[in-house]
Amino acid sequence: MSTLLGPEEIGQLAPSGYYVALRVGFAFPMEEENALPSEWIAHYTKQRYMLFDPVVRWAYANIGAVRWSALADDDPKRIIVQAQTFGMRYGVTVSVFDAKADAQRSFASFTRPEREYTDLELKLLLAYLTRRHNETAPPTNLTKAELEALGMVKDGKRLKEIAFELSVSEGAVKQRLKNAKLKLGAKTGTQAAALANQYGLI
């Protein structure tokens, strides 16, 4: 198995489903993928388990990897036991955290029906999450002028208004937005502003 896991390998490692939350800020992840069984998602949501889930508590308080079996003693609502009845008999959760200014966390859970995850699989899944976390890191090369222009786009200002307020030409504003789009991988100025906002840059 390759150390650079992709969607196919993740599906093989987590045949009962998985959940990935990337760059969780104050409350919501920048990106998430929920491939857990739909019946479990409905049950979990209806019971409002998130606040009581030992897996979620562990993910927010730790970095590294843990098997769900190690968390079963701290599970008064028996969420882990209930997950087993939905085919998620064995699970592992991995968590990474940026100690930088943005202080964002990513975490993921992977489940299978037939056996515990090996130490090697834990390392591979942690490496996978770390790579995804780093890939979605905000760019650090946006200039103050580019961020200023993006902030005005976010506020709904037009090119002429931005140029007037910044005392620069419309061409200068266009260039700043072009540079920002390139750095953010965005197609439009509006999309670039939305991404910058999502990253907490503006």
Side-chain angles (χ1 to χ4, degrees), residues 1-190:
M1 190 177 294
S2 166
T3 55
L4 198 61
L5 299 178
E8 190 177 319
E9 290 85 4
I10 292 300
Q12 290 170 2
L13 281 170
S16 296
Y18 60 91
Y19 174 80
V20 179
L22 296 172
R23 299 256 160 210
V24 181
F26 175 69
F28 300 103
M30 190 184 92
E31 184 182 322
E32 71 180 331
E33 186 176 356
N34 194 341
L36 294 171
S38 57
E39 299 85 2
W40 170 248
I41 295 169
H43 176 70
Y44 187 96
T45 305
K46 184 179 178 185
Q47 299 298 323
R48 298 183 177 142
Y49 277 156
M50 184 153 184
L51 293 175
F52 307 99
D53 191 342
V55 169
V56 173
R57 278 200 316 269
W58 184 91
Y60 272 93
N62 298 277
I63 56 171
V66 67
R67 292 178 184 89
W68 288 6
S69 56
L71 304 173
D73 290 341
D74 185 25
D75 187 9
K77 298 233 180 230
R78 298 177 54 80
I79 297 169
I80 292 171
V81 171
Q82 290 178 58
Q84 293 176 4
T85 66
F86 290 83
M88 300 178 290
R89 187 157 177 75
Y90 301 96
V92 62
T93 294
V94 292
S95 180
V96 297
F97 180 72
D98 276 341
K100 301 172 194 161
D102 63 354
Q104 291 181 324
R105 180 178 297 277
S106 293
F107 62 90
S109 289
F110 306 90
T111 66
R112 63 185 319 135
E114 79 288 10
R115 63 168 175 81
E116 278 282 19
Y117 283 86
T118 66
D119 289 346
L120 175 59
E121 288 169 335
L122 264 65
K123 286 177 185 171
L124 288 171
L125 291 168
L126 181 58
Y128 168 78
L129 181 68
T130 302
R131 176 171 54 86
R132 295 287 314 277
H133 181 78
N134 292 336
E135 284 171 354
T136 53
T140 56
N141 59 345
L142 285 156
T143 67
K144 185 179 174 185
E146 290 160 0
L147 292 171
E148 196 172 33
L150 287 172
M152 292 179 169
V153 169
K154 183 187 104 159
D155 293 340
K157 296 189 176 168
R158 299 183 186 274
L159 201 60
K160 261 184 188 166
E161 292 176 276
I162 297 170
F164 177 77
E165 284 193 34
L166 296 176
S167 301
V168 296
S169 68
E170 286 184 41
V173 175
K174 283 182 184 175
Q175 188 60 50
R176 290 176 189 183
L177 292 174
K178 182 180 175 185
N179 292 343
K181 285 188 292 186
L182 188 65
K183 292 173 184 178
L184 287 159
K187 292 180 180 168
T188 66
T190 306

